[in-house]
Amino acid sequence: MSTTRRFYKPLQDFINSTADFRIIYTIAKHPDNGNVVTSISHPNANSDHVLSPNTRRICVLDSSFNPPHLGHYTLIKESLNPHHYFQDTTPNPNEHEFVDKEDDKAIILLLSVKNADKIKPVPESFENRLEMMYLMANDLSVKFPNSKSISIGLTKHAKFVDKSISILNYLHSDDFNCNYLSPHIKLTFLVGFDTLLRIFNPKYYLPDKLSTSLEEFMTSTDLFCLTRNNDEVADLEQSKYVEDIKQGKHIDIPTHWSNNIFLINNGEKISLISSSNIRASVKSGSDDWHNKVSSEIKDFIIKEKLYR
């Protein structure tokens, strides 16, 4: 089988189904013997591989993965660092604080295939992107062996609030059938600063108020954000964004939402990486993009002649 056809059937099954979210691939350590196990699932995921009794946080990286790059890796790496969270979803019975551990987390790489049956995705097919996500997931499992699992998920939604609801519904569905699902589990979307601003832009929720539209989402979901090189918003302004929310300086954003936003300063070089710049570099024939992606993804782009 061609590597780029690996996910053809799971992808088509999902597109043609009524489901709005599905996990189609997972790499994890077996709970009994610690051996690495993988599964390509259609339509049902092996829930024992995705979650464990200790899983308290599911980190969701939602992206076009066109292609995946080292900025994505950094976002995942930082989200797994327990020191970045001043609270978590596991109550300490002796205190009102929360405890966060790296191995309490599962990772989902999430790709939206909204209108996939009507519009041909550009510049690369979903199959090629899923193959790069597959390479990324396997690489992440080696780089971050303490995480419970790395999965690839598909969604038909565009808005974060809808994606969150669909994932939570899936985790509680008969299709997933998980005995490990803790009532304290928390979804955490991993985003760049520009995406964070879009999530909290009131214009996307009109005629409803932002506070009404996102209140349930911000109750069940955390946002983990890295600052990003941005011509419109200075680094200092990005860094104090959450504190400004807490102090009520953003009138459309409820102050208590600041408790669910974890904002970390990003390295300057990493913050300059973008998928669009990598695609432009490949198309121009330059090789300066080689150090902005993993070696496996670099080799795949070259072999399959992507973005030419």
Side-chain angles (χ1 to χ4, degrees):
M1 178 188 294
S2 168
T3 56
T4 55
R5 305 292 286 181
R6 190 193 318 267
F7 293 103
Y8 177 80
K9 190 175 190 311
L11 175 62
Q12 294 304 317
D13 285 348
F14 176 70
I15 290 172
N16 295 324
S17 74
T18 58
D20 56 1
F21 171 79
R22 182 176 293 167
I23 288 175
I24 62 167
Y25 176 74
T26 298
I27 181 167
K29 287 186 177 180
H30 194 282
D32 295 330
N33 55 34
N35 293 335
V36 173
V37 292
T38 62
S39 61
I40 295 180
S41 310
H42 48 87
N44 298 337
N46 187 329
S47 58
D48 292 343
H49 295 168
V50 178
L51 301 179
S52 77
N54 295 324
T55 305
R56 295 294 180 268
R57 190 181 289 276
I58 301 177
C59 298
V60 183
L61 178 58
D62 174 55
S63 175
S64 64
F65 298 100
N66 205 11
H69 54 69
L70 296 188
H72 295 135
Y73 278 76
T74 298
L75 192 47
I76 289 175
K77 175 185 175 182
E78 297 300 332
S79 74
L80 294 176
N81 186 340
H83 299 295
H84 289 327
Y85 298 91
F86 54 83
Q87 63 179 12
D88 197 0
T89 50
T90 311
N92 182 328
N94 300 318
E95 302 175 1
H96 293 293
E97 298 295 325
F98 292 93
V99 180
D100 195 315
K101 298 178 181 178
E102 184 177 334
D103 56 3
D104 283 344
K105 301 179 184 67
I107 300 166
I108 297 178
L109 308 179
L110 183 64
L111 179 66
S112 175
V113 293
K114 182 176 173 61
N115 294 328
D117 55 338
K118 297 180 181 179
I119 302 174
K120 182 179 179 181
V122 292
E124 277 310 323
S125 70
F126 288 124
E127 286 181 72
N128 279 332
R129 284 189 248 174
L130 284 169
E131 188 62 28
M132 288 189 281
M133 293 167 70
Y134 169 82
L135 295 173
M136 180 180 182
N138 292 345
D139 191 28
L140 288 170
S141 72
V142 176
K143 286 183 168 62
F144 308 114
N146 289 334
S147 60
K148 163 57 187 170
S149 67
I150 299 99
S151 299
I152 296 174
L154 299 175
T155 181
K156 293 176 182 174
H157 293 295
K159 293 182 178 179
F160 279 90
V161 60
D162 297 324
K163 292 171 183 176
S164 178
I165 292 171
S166 67
I167 294 173
L168 290 172
N169 287 342
Y170 176 83
L171 294 177
H172 289 91
S173 70
D174 291 338
D175 282 348
F176 194 63
N177 190 27
C178 182
N179 296 319
Y180 298 147
L181 192 60
S182 165
H184 302 293
I185 204 161
K186 195 93 169 186
L187 287 187
T188 304
F189 279 91
L190 314 183
V191 299
F193 188 78
D194 50 348
T195 301
L196 184 66
L197 293 181
R198 287 198 299 272
I199 292 174
F200 291 144
N201 191 327
K203 75 176 184 180
Y204 294 118
Y205 307 96
L206 294 174
D208 297 324
K209 290 185 176 180
L210 171 68
S211 57
T212 303
S213 300
L214 288 187
E215 179 59 35
E216 184 175 350
F217 170 77
M218 291 303 296
T219 300
S220 62
T221 310
D222 286 340
L223 298 171
F224 185 93
C225 177
L226 291 185
T227 58
R228 186 169 185 174
N229 185 63
N230 190 317
D231 293 335
E232 298 179 2
V233 185
D235 290 346
L236 179 60
E237 190 175 345
Q238 291 184 46
S239 299
K240 64 188 186 73
Y241 182 69
V242 177
E243 184 61 29
D244 286 348
I245 292 175
K246 188 175 183 178
Q247 294 180 7
K249 295 182 179 180
H250 295 274
I251 59 173
D252 294 307
I253 306 176
T255 57
H256 64 275
W257 287 4
S258 63
N259 296 325
N260 298 82
I261 308 169
F262 304 92
L263 182 63
I264 310 300
N265 288 327
N266 197 4
E268 183 176 350
K269 290 183 178 180
I270 292 295
S271 70
L272 293 172
I273 298 177
S274 72
S275 294
S276 59
N277 287 342
I278 290 173
R279 295 195 300 269
S281 181
V282 175
K283 188 173 183 178
S284 72
S286 171
D287 60 3
D288 62 3
W289 59 275
H290 287 187
N291 63 351
K292 298 175 183 177
V293 299
S294 70
S295 59
E296 294 85 357
I297 290 174
K298 179 198 74 173
D299 292 342
F300 182 79
I301 290 173
I302 294 172
K303 177 185 176 183
E304 299 296 328
K305 300 179 180 179
L306 306 187
Y307 310 121
R308 298 292 183 181

